């Protein structure tokens, strides 16, 4: 397998002061689902936007390496990047209303994506839109094409966004919390759909979420992000079998599992929130919330190997986690 | 012992105009809902978006007049109480803490507002109570000086909880209090709500679309579908043995951290339930994977599941 997307030591700052992403590295292999997981504010969306060259004004990105299908993304002009975006790499967001235009019908918005990148007639584009809507499980696509975004439920809108992202047959789909605003029932349906599309279209997916329950069910590889860094990387099986970083373990304990709740005991949780990190910061950013922090955590932290393709950023030795189950 | 909340044959209809020429339509958002919540316990109400959970909450809070049926809170009709007395008895906590906090007031002032509205507390008393409740929900005095926009989502929800509890109400209606939050912050808030209930002897009606979220806090769970409670049982029994096919689907949709299991096919189809268009027979039949012919024309009756549970399904 060769990596479709390679990101090495990505840095993103806003106004030169807030370090939103601090040296994040990960690879999305062809045909796999890679999950970026972490709490709100840890830099997941900024990472995705940096890859897509969609950072808000004031955002500055630099990377040792950032390549997509062999193309160096850092050297592309805005025009070249715009040609990739929505075409060979597509993105869907948490709240579909932010990326759908309320003034245009679903059909015309979907058709526009195809004609912009690939040319061809509007009629042909509408046919493809209807076909893809069928593929993502929308019944009566013909009727939906003529409707406006506000006439659809949240779950339908997210399906439309997925169909729209597929219009140009992308190789990479970046999905930023695509189900966080939805009912759990609709969430299960949308995630199942993404898994099917991955299989049938050979799509590679970079899925962003804050929920390790979702990660377990859909990911092949996982990168756990904390305060702008990737603090643990592993295959999904390995991450859940032997999570090493105290943060990963904390996140895992927060997911409520039906039937395993002890009502007289508190749920596992991580105290506090992700801190904002200034530019001169050193040491482990998790130390303000970590039960295992000591004075060495304020200094440079090694990246440790915990097995094949499994590494993490912490002063603790790999066997620590085995010896002290959380 | 009087129940903290007693709801009987509650119904709420809205009349909506779908277009200029079209006739008025009736939307039945809540249909024949009956339950009681004993003082000090927690009823979890679970169901998908649009099933009537918030409408039910608004009727219990006295913010919306039922079309039919009765609501008794602590044995009283809320419509007979004045606003101040109502505020001392029952308080809401909503999903979106940002929308529910005044963006131009400090957290301290926002939490003080219910006390000021009573008109009976001295300045010193207000300051003391606000300080106490902020500390109780885990917000420092420095946080109290901040504006809502300067807090994280979880901190804003803590502030909303502080505001709800500052008058020391006995009953709190939590409408999706953690749905806008990260899983990690959700765990913090659920633990906080559980602690507060235990320490202050509160009664909750706790609404969520995620069955797994209510298990930790609820003593009893009611599952709502298109305005009706289709199953209700004591929490452990409901999770051990979900009877209604819809309850089973809700349980399966919970994605537990078990790698290799994949995402289940819950088989509901893409049609969202529409309260303006309730199907004949069992209202769940178009999405039910075990529906039989009978389900398409005959509505199931309510069956009692001892000791106090109930289920509405021909095949349960
Ligand atoms: N004022 C109103 N006028 C007309 N219809 C209404 C009104 N308020 C609610 N409804 C309808 O009643 C149904 C139930 O609404 P409700 O807000 O209780 O759902 P919910 O379960 O809380 O969903 P959500 O999770 O989306 O908030 C919905 O179909 C809604 O559109
Ligand atoms: N436009 C911006 N200006 C300044 N800071 C920003 C901006 N966008 C994001 N940030 C900061 O970057 C960090 C990461 O944000 P984000 O990637 O959106 O988090 P996530 O997606 O993980 O919730 C946060 O500290 C956030 O406040
Ligand atoms: S480096 Fe120290 S503070 Fe950071 S996770 Fe490891 S033990 Fe905790
Ligand atoms: S009555 Fe029929 S349609 Fe309704 S839930 Fe039971 S089996 Fe399904
Ligand atoms: Mg985000
Ligand atoms: Mg609601």
């Amino acid at each position: 397998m060769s990596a479709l997307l390679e990101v090495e030591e990505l840095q993103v700052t806003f106004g030169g002061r807030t370090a939103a992403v601090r040296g994040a590295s990960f690879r999305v292999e062809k045909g796999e689902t890679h999950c970026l997981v972490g709490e709100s504010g840890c830099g997941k969306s900024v990472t995705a936007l940096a890859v897509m060259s969609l950072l808000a004004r004031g955002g500055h990105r630099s990377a040792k390496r950032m390549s997509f299908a062999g193309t160096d993304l850092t050297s592309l002009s805005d025009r070249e990047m715009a040609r990739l975006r929505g075409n060979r790499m597509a993105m869907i967001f948490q709240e579909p209303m932010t990326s759908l235009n309320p003034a245009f019908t679903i059909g015309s918005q979907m058709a526009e994506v195809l004609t912009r990148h690939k040319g061809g007639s509007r009629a042909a584009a509408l046919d493809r839109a209807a076909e893809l809507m069928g593929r993502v499980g929308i019944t009566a696509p013909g009727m939906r094409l003529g409707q406006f975004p506000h006439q659809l439920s949240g779950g339908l809108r997210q399906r439309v966004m997925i169909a729209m992202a597929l219009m140009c047959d992308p190789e990479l789909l970046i999905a930023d919390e695509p189900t966080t605003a939805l009912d759990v029932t609709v969430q299960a349906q949308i995630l199942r759909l993404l898994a099917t599309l991955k299989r049938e279209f050979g799509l590679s997916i970079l899925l962003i979420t804050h929920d390790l329950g979702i990660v377990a069910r859909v990911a092949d590889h996982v990168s756990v992000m904390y305060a702008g860094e990737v603090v643990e990387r592993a295959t999904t099986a390995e991450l859940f079998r032997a999570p090493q970083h105290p943060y990963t373990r904390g996140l895992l304990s927060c997911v409520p599992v039906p039937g395993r709740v002890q009502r007289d005991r508190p749920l596992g949780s991580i105290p506090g929130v992700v801190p904002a990190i200034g530019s001169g910061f050193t040491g482990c950013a998790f130390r303000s919330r970590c039960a295992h922090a000591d004075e060495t955590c304020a200094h440079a932290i090694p990246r440790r190997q915990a097995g094949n393709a499994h590494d993490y950023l912490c002063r603790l030795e790999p066997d620590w986690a085995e010896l002290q189950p959380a | 012992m009087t129940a903290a909340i007693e709801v009987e044959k509650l119904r709420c209809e809205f009349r909506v105009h779908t277009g200029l020429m079209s006739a008025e339509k009736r939307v039945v958002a809540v249909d024949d809902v009956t339950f009681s919540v004993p003082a000090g316990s927690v009823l979890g109400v679970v169901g998908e978006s649009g099933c009537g959970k918030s409408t039910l909450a608004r009727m219990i809070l006295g913010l919306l007049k039922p079309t039919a049926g009765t609501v008794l809170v602590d044995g009283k009709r809320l419509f007979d109480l004045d606003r101040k007395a109502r505020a001392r008895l029952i308080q809401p906590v909503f999903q979106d803490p940002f929308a529910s906090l005044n963006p131009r007031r400090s957290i301290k002032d926002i939490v003080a507002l219910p006390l000021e509205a009573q008109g009976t507390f001295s300045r010193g008393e207000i300051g003391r109570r606000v300080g106490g409740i902020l500390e109780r929900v885990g917000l420092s005095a420095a946080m109290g000086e901040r504006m809502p926009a300067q807090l994280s989502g979880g901190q804003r929800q803590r502030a909303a909880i502080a505001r709800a509890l500052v008058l020391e109400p006995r009953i709190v209606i939590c409408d999706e209090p953690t749905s806008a939050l990260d899983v990690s912050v959700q765990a913090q808030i659920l633990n906080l709500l559980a602690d507060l209930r235990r320490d202050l002897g509160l009664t909750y009606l706790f609404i969520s679309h995620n069955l797994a979220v209510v298990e930790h806090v609820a003593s009893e769970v009611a599952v709502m579908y298109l305005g009706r409670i289709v199953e209700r049982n004591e929490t452990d029994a409901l999770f051990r043995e979900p009877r209604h096919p819809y309850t089973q689907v809700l349980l399966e949709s919970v994605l537990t951290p078990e790698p290799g299991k994949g995402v289940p096919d819950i088989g509901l189809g893409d049609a969202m339930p529409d309260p303006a268009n309730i199907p004949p027979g069992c209202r769940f039949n178009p999405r039910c994977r075990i529906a039989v012919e009978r389900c398409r024309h005959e509505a199931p009756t309510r069956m009692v599941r001892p000791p106090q549970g109930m289920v509405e399904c021909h095949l349960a």
Side-chain angles (χ1 to χ4, degrees):
Chain A
M1 276 202 293
S2 65
L4 179 65
L5 176 71
E6 260 187 278
V7 174
E8 237 176 273
E9 293 184 28
L10 174 69
Q11 312 264 355
V12 180
T13 53
F14 285 97
R17 276 178 300 130
T18 333
V21 180
R22 306 181 301 133
S25 304
F26 59 93
R27 302 154 56 95
V28 182
E29 308 288 341
K30 259 204 186 83
E32 78 157 5
T33 299
H34 189 109
C35 276
L36 269 186
V37 63
E39 291 162 288
S40 167
C42 75
K44 307 179 298 291
S45 303
V46 171
T47 299
L49 293 173
V51 169
M52 296 292 270
S53 288
L54 287 174
L55 284 174
R57 193 181 300 244
H60 179 262
R61 121 195 136 171
S62 66
K64 192 165 146 202
R65 182 180 161 79
M66 194 153 70
S67 71
F68 170 72
T71 307
D72 178 9
L73 291 179
T74 57
S75 69
L76 294 186
S77 69
D78 288 352
R79 275 191 57 187
E80 288 167 320
M81 195 60 217
R83 228 175 293 149
L84 273 185
R85 224 186 287 129
N87 185 11
R88 293 181 62 195
M89 46 204 283
M91 185 158 174
I92 53 179
F93 298 91
Q94 170 169 350
E95 181 32 74
M97 273 320 254
T98 55
S99 29
L100 286 170
N101 188 328
F104 293 94
T105 62
I106 299 298
S108 70
Q109 295 186 58
M110 288 185 70
E112 201 269 337
V113 176
L114 190 66
T115 51
R116 172 161 34 105
H117 287 293
K118 304 259 155 122
S121 72
R122 191 181 141 87
L126 283 173
D127 282 348
R128 173 149 177 87
E131 179 207 321
L132 283 172
M133 285 169 94
R135 290 299 297 277
V136 302
I138 297 176
T139 48
M143 173 187 87
R144 301 295 183 197
L145 284 175
Q147 287 185 313
F148 290 90
H150 71 266
Q151 292 174 297
L152 307 182
S153 70
L156 269 177
R157 280 201 287 262
Q158 201 53 285
R159 283 181 207 245
V160 164
M161 285 308 299
I162 294 171
M164 191 144 115
L166 296 176
M167 282 299 277
C168 297
D169 226 338
E171 290 146 75
L172 176 68
L173 177 68
I174 300 184
D176 187 359
E177 308 250 12
T179 60
T180 302
L182 304 174
D183 276 339
V184 284
T185 44
V186 183
Q187 164 168 289
Q189 292 175 309
I190 298 283
L191 291 175
R192 193 173 162 84
L193 167 66
L194 287 178
T196 310
L197 294 172
K198 178 186 110 174
R199 217 170 36 240
E200 291 180 2
F201 289 65
L203 200 61
S204 308
I205 301 175
L206 178 63
L207 180 81
I208 293 175
T209 177
H210 60 87
D211 186 346
L212 276 174
I214 292 177
V215 173
R217 303 305 192 96
V218 302
D220 299 298
H221 280 89
V222 192
S223 297
V224 181
M225 261 189 108
Y226 188 78
E229 287 175 309
V230 172
V231 296
E232 184 158 9
R233 291 184 296 201
T235 62
T236 306
E238 178 72 5
L239 189 89
F240 286 89
R241 191 186 61 78
Q244 298 292 332
H245 200 283
Y247 179 61
T248 310
R249 303 196 125 211
L251 268 188
L252 208 45
S253 72
C254 299
V255 184
V257 178
R260 260 186 247 158
V261 164
Q262 287 172 288
R263 221 146 333 112
D264 44 349
R265 298 244 310 266
L267 282 172
S269 66
I270 312 171
V273 293
V274 182
I277 302 286
S279 39
F281 189 87
T282 55
C284 176
F286 188 55
R287 67 178 186 268
S288 56
R289 304 168 74 190
C290 181
H292 307 276
D294 71 9
E295 57 292 350
T296 62
C297 303
H299 306 294
I301 302 295
R303 187 171 283 282
R304 296 182 184 279
Q305 293 296 321
N308 189 22
H310 183 180
D311 59 28
Y312 66 103
L313 210 55
C314 175
R315 70 173 180 88
L316 297 165
E317 301 280 350
D319 55 355
W320 158 79
E322 307 281 342
L323 294 174
Q324 299 180 24
Chain B
M1 191 179 73
T2 58
I5 304 172
E6 191 139 28
V7 157
E8 213 185 311
K9 300 205 166 107
L10 207 56
R11 180 179 178 86
C12 177
E13 280 180 24
F14 297 108
R15 300 189 175 276
V16 291
H17 292 275
T18 44
L20 267 185
M21 307 306 278
S22 59
E24 217 179 43
K25 262 202 144 176
R26 269 193 338 175
V27 172
V28 182
V30 171
D31 181 16
D32 193 16
V33 165
T34 298
F35 59 75
S36 80
V37 189
S41 74
V42 181
L43 177 68
V45 178
V46 182
E48 287 162 298
S49 173
C51 75
K53 307 181 297 293
S54 301
T55 304
L56 176 64
R58 280 156 61 208
M59 288 191 286
I60 295 173
L61 284 161
L63 302 173
L64 180 70
K65 208 170 167 57
T67 312
T70 53
V71 181
L72 294 181
V73 176
D74 198 27
K76 308 174 194 65
R77 285 173 198 275
L78 282 189
F79 284 98
D80 297 342
L81 299 180
D82 67 14
R83 280 181 63 162
K84 289 182 198 170
R86 209 190 292 171
R88 287 193 302 268
L89 186 59
I90 186 167
Q91 285 282 337
V93 175
F94 293 115
Q95 169 171 357
D96 185 352
F98 201 54
S100 67
L101 301 178
N102 184 339
R104 281 180 293 277
R105 308 280 305 261
S106 71
I107 295 301
K108 202 166 62 24
D109 289 349
I110 290 171
V111 174
L113 209 61
L115 293 169
E116 285 165 3
Q118 292 289 324
T120 52
F121 294 96
S122 70
R123 277 187 157 264
E125 177 73 1
I126 290 176
R128 203 183 51 75
R129 287 208 183 202
V130 169
I133 196 71
L134 283 178
E135 191 186 335
R136 189 67 193 76
V137 301
L139 291 175
S140 62
M143 291 280 184
E145 303 296 335
R146 295 202 198 171
M147 307 305 250
Q150 295 170 306
L151 299 187
S152 71
Q155 289 164 343
R156 285 198 287 261
Q157 197 56 288
R158 286 173 193 267
I161 292 169
R163 179 182 56 184
L165 295 184
V166 75
L167 278 175
E168 300 174 2
R170 309 251 308 283
I171 301 159
V172 182
I173 308 290
C174 307
D175 189 357
E176 307 251 19
T178 65
S179 300
L181 306 174
D182 269 14
V183 181
S184 56
V185 183
Q186 164 173 289
Q188 295 173 4
I189 298 293
L190 290 176
N191 285 337
L192 171 65
L193 287 169
D195 284 352
L196 291 169
R197 186 194 66 76
R198 215 174 12 249
D199 298 351
L200 309 176
L202 301 172
T203 305
Y204 295 150
L205 186 85
F206 189 100
I207 294 174
S208 175
H209 64 91
N210 185 344
L211 202 41
V213 168
V214 305
E215 188 182 13
H216 184 63
V217 281
S219 16
E220 205 185 343
V221 177
V223 176
M224 247 179 125
Y225 189 78
L226 271 181
R228 285 181 81 85
I229 292 179
V230 295
E231 181 164 11
R232 195 183 71 230
N233 213 336
E234 181 270 318
T235 306
D236 291 333
L238 188 105
F239 279 83
R240 204 180 331 109
E241 205 186 351
R243 299 289 193 124
H244 198 282
Y246 182 61
T247 312
Q248 292 165 3
V249 164
L250 285 181
L251 207 51
E252 281 171 36
S253 332
V254 176
L255 300 179
T256 50
E258 297 170 280
K261 267 199 150 181
V263 186
D265 180 6
I266 58 166
L268 283 179
D270 79 330
M272 286 310 283
D274 175 8
N277 240 323
I278 291 175
C282 171
R283 58 193 60 214
F284 185 54
N285 89 72
R287 300 170 87 200
C288 180
R289 53 190 169 191
I290 59 165
V292 293
E293 185 48 35
R294 181 181 176 204
C295 306
R296 292 181 228 296
H297 45 80
E298 187 188 330
T301 50
R302 197 168 289 168
M303 284 186 292
V304 176
R305 291 281 163 200
Q308 77 260 53
M310 69 76 130
V311 61
E312 279 188 354
C313 168
H314 292 308
L315 305 183

